[in-house]
Amino acid sequence: MKFSASQSSESNIHPAANASQMPVATAPSKALIVTVVIAILLLAINMRAPIIGFGAVAKLVQQDLGLTTKTIGLIGTIPVMAFASSSFVAPMLSRRIGLENTMILATSLLAIGIFVRVAHPQLGFLLAGTVLLSLAISLGNVLIPAVIKKYTPNHIGLVMGSYSMFLSVFAGFASGIAMWLVSLSSWQFALGVWGWVSVAAVAAWLIVAHLRLRQKISTHDAQVINQAVAEAGRPSRKSVWKIPMAWWISAFMGLQSLLYYTLASFLPSLLIDKGLSKAQAGNVGMVFQLVAFPSILLLTKWVSSNWNLRTLALLAAVGNLVGVFGFGFLPLQGWVWVWSIASGFGCGVIFTLCMMIFTLKSKDSQQAAELSGMAQTVGYSIAITGPIVTGWLKDLSHTWTLSMSFLTILMAINCVFSWLATQNKAIE
C-alpha cells in the first residue's frame, strides 16, 4: 500500500479528519470549492510566518524592550502550549458554532493577535498578541484537515500538499525578508505586515460561509465532531499509554519539536552573536525552513517505494545532531549552510514521518487516534521546555555553549529514539 506525506498529515493531525466521511446533502459548487481552497492557502501563509518572523527579529525586540533571553524563550513557548491544548478547544467550538464559523473566528483572532503584538512596544502587548495568534493557529492546525475532507474529498492529497507547501515556503520567506522589512521601518512593521494577509483570509472565510448558506449545504458538522471525539476517547483493547513503543514515538516526535521551536526562537540571535550579519542570519533561517518542503517530498517517495523507515528516521535524527553541533561548535563561515540544511532536513522529515507512523504502526483507526493524541500531548509538553531552558542557560553563562551542549545531548538521545520508534512491528 502506498502512502503520501500529504495524505498522512491529513489523516492524522486530528481525529476529526478520520471521522468526517459523511456525504453532504448538496454538493458544493465550483465557486465554493475554489473559495475554500483560496481561504485555506491564505490561512496557511500565516500558520508559521508570525512565529518564525518573531524568531528572526527576536534580538531587536530583546534590545528594544530590555528583555532577557529567558523571557524571549518563554515567549517562544507560547505557541507550543497553545498547540498542546488545541485538540480540546477546536472540537468544542466547531460543534457549538460550526466549522466555517470557527475558521472565521480563527482567522479573525490571528489578525487581531498580529496587530496587538505590534500595537505598542511593550511586553504586555507582545505577550497578549502572541497568545491570541497562537490560539488562532492552534484552531487552524486542528480543523484544516476536516475542512479539506469536507469540501475537497476527491483532491485531499493535492490540497493538503499545497497547504503543507505554503506552510514551509512562507515560513522560510518570513525568516528571509524579516530584516529587510526592519530596514524599511521597524521590527513592529516586519511582524505586523502579516496581519493584512490574515485580514484577507477573514474575508475569504466570510465568503465561504455566505456561499454555504446560499447553497443551503448541510454537512452535519455536530455529528462529525461528536463521532471524532467519541472515537478518540474510546479506549482500545490496550491503552497506548501502557505500550512502550508509543512512548518511543512520542519522545521521538517531542525532541524534534523541541529543536524546531528552539531554533525558530533563537537561531538568528545565535548566528548574529557568532559573527554573521543580520541579513546572513535571516537567510540561514530561511534555508532551515525551506528545506522542509523537499524533505517531505523525499519522505513521500521513500515511503511509497517501501524503503526502510528506520534508515530514514536515523538519517533525519543524525541530521538534527549534525546541524545543532555545527551551529554550536564548528566553523560557520562556508559551513553554516550545511548545518542549516542538515537540521532543516531532520526537522522536516521527523515530524511528517511521525504522523505517518500513527497510521502505519496502528492496528486500526481507533488506536491511531489514541496514538496521535498521546504523541502530540507528550511531544508538545517536551517541546515547551526547549526555548525556556535554552534561554535560561544563555542568560546563566552569557554564551551559547551551555545552550548548544544541551541541544546536542538531546539530539544524540533522539538518535536512539529514532531506532526504537521505527521497530518493524505494530503497536501492541
Side-chain angles (χ1 to χ4, degrees):
M1 184 175 184
K2 294 187 177 182
F3 298 86
S4 70
S6 61
Q7 290 171 328
S8 174
S9 297
E10 185 277 333
S11 63
N12 288 293
I13 289 176
H14 191 268
N18 290 328
S20 55
Q21 300 289 347
M22 298 181 181
V24 297
T26 302
S29 67
K30 183 177 181 180
L32 177 53
I33 293 174
V34 170
T35 306
V36 168
V37 172
I38 293 173
I40 288 172
L41 297 181
L42 284 172
L43 180 58
I45 291 173
N46 267 349
M47 294 295 278
R48 286 184 182 174
I51 300 173
I52 302 306
F54 176 77
V57 301
K59 191 76 172 179
L60 299 178
V61 176
Q62 181 178 356
Q63 294 171 352
D64 194 17
L65 303 186
L67 306 177
T68 64
T69 309
K70 182 180 179 180
T71 301
I72 294 294
L74 178 62
I75 294 172
T77 66
I78 291 175
V80 186
M81 289 187 285
F83 300 159
S85 63
S86 64
S87 60
F88 299 100
V89 176
M92 290 192 307
L93 281 175
S94 184
R95 183 170 61 247
R96 183 175 294 272
I97 67 176
L99 185 57
E100 292 78 10
N101 290 336
T102 307
M103 298 308 298
I104 293 172
L105 175 63
T107 49
S108 299
L109 284 177
L110 186 52
I112 293 170
I114 292 173
F115 289 135
V116 166
R117 185 166 64 167
V118 299
H120 195 68
Q122 289 184 351
L123 179 59
F125 283 87
L126 183 63
L127 289 173
T130 303
V131 169
L132 286 176
L133 69 87
S134 299
L135 289 174
I137 292 172
S138 72
L139 290 176
N141 274 334
V142 172
L143 296 178
I144 279 293
V147 172
I148 292 175
K149 182 164 285 188
K150 174 178 175 178
Y151 284 101
T152 59
N154 297 322
H155 303 284
I156 290 176
L158 175 62
V159 179
M160 181 58 76
S162 300
Y163 173 74
S164 300
M165 181 183 70
F166 269 56
L167 285 179
S168 301
V169 169
F170 279 94
F173 188 61
S175 177
I177 69 169
M179 285 304 172
W180 174 72
L181 292 173
V182 169
S183 69
L184 295 179
S185 179
S186 62
W187 63 263
Q188 291 101 317
F189 175 74
L191 296 179
V193 70
W194 298 101
W196 296 108
V197 179
S198 288
V199 170
V202 173
W205 284 107
L206 286 170
I207 296 173
V208 168
H210 171 71
L211 292 176
R212 180 196 174 192
L213 289 174
R214 192 172 68 178
Q215 294 183 43
K216 299 180 180 179
I217 294 177
S218 174
T219 53
H220 309 288
D221 294 338
Q223 290 92 325
V224 169
I225 297 298
N226 284 330
Q227 180 182 342
V229 173
E231 182 182 34
R234 192 184 304 123
S236 63
R237 290 176 290 272
K238 181 178 181 181
S239 172
V240 294
W241 293 86
K242 298 179 180 180
I243 300 175
M245 187 174 172
W247 283 97
W248 307 145
I249 296 170
S250 300
F252 184 44
M253 181 177 182
L255 288 176
Q256 175 275 330
S257 296
L258 180 149
L259 178 64
Y260 177 83
Y261 287 105
T262 301
L263 290 181
S265 297
F266 291 118
L267 182 57
S269 299
L270 165 70
L271 298 177
I272 291 170
D273 286 347
K274 291 175 77 71
L276 270 64
S277 69
K278 295 176 181 178
Q280 288 174 322
N283 289 335
V284 173
M286 178 173 63
V287 170
F288 169 71
Q289 295 293 335
L290 292 179
V291 166
F293 182 58
S295 299
I296 292 172
L297 294 179
L298 173 63
L299 172 60
T300 303
K301 174 63 177 177
W302 194 296
V303 173
S304 65
S305 300
N306 294 319
W307 293 349
N308 190 286
L309 293 183
R310 173 171 281 180
T311 301
L312 183 59
L314 185 58
L315 284 174
V318 170
N320 279 345
L321 175 60
V322 169
V324 167
F325 187 76
F327 282 136
F329 304 103
L330 297 178
L332 294 184
Q333 205 65 30
W335 286 92
V336 69
W337 307 107
V338 176
W339 316 142
S340 182
I341 292 172
S343 54
F345 166 79
C347 288
V349 166
I350 291 174
F351 175 79
T352 308
L353 179 59
C354 286
M355 302 300 283
M356 288 185 175
I357 287 175
F358 300 155
T359 298
L360 297 172
K361 299 297 183 181
S362 298
K363 295 178 180 178
D364 48 40
S365 61
Q366 178 183 324
Q367 190 181 62
E370 290 184 6
L371 179 58
S372 175
M374 173 185 174
Q376 293 191 46
T377 299
V378 174
Y380 285 127
S381 297
I382 292 173
I384 288 171
T385 65
I388 294 177
V389 174
T390 300
W392 176 71
L393 291 173
K394 171 62 166 60
D395 287 340
L396 181 68
S397 63
H398 303 291
T399 70
W400 289 99
T401 301
L402 286 179
S403 297
M404 299 311 291
S405 297
F406 164 70
L407 293 177
T408 299
I409 291 171
L410 291 183
M411 291 309 103
I413 293 173
N414 212 27
C415 290
V416 178
F417 284 131
S418 74
W419 185 268
L420 295 172
T422 52
Q423 299 175 61
N424 189 25
K425 63 179 182 179
I427 301 291
E428 57 184 6

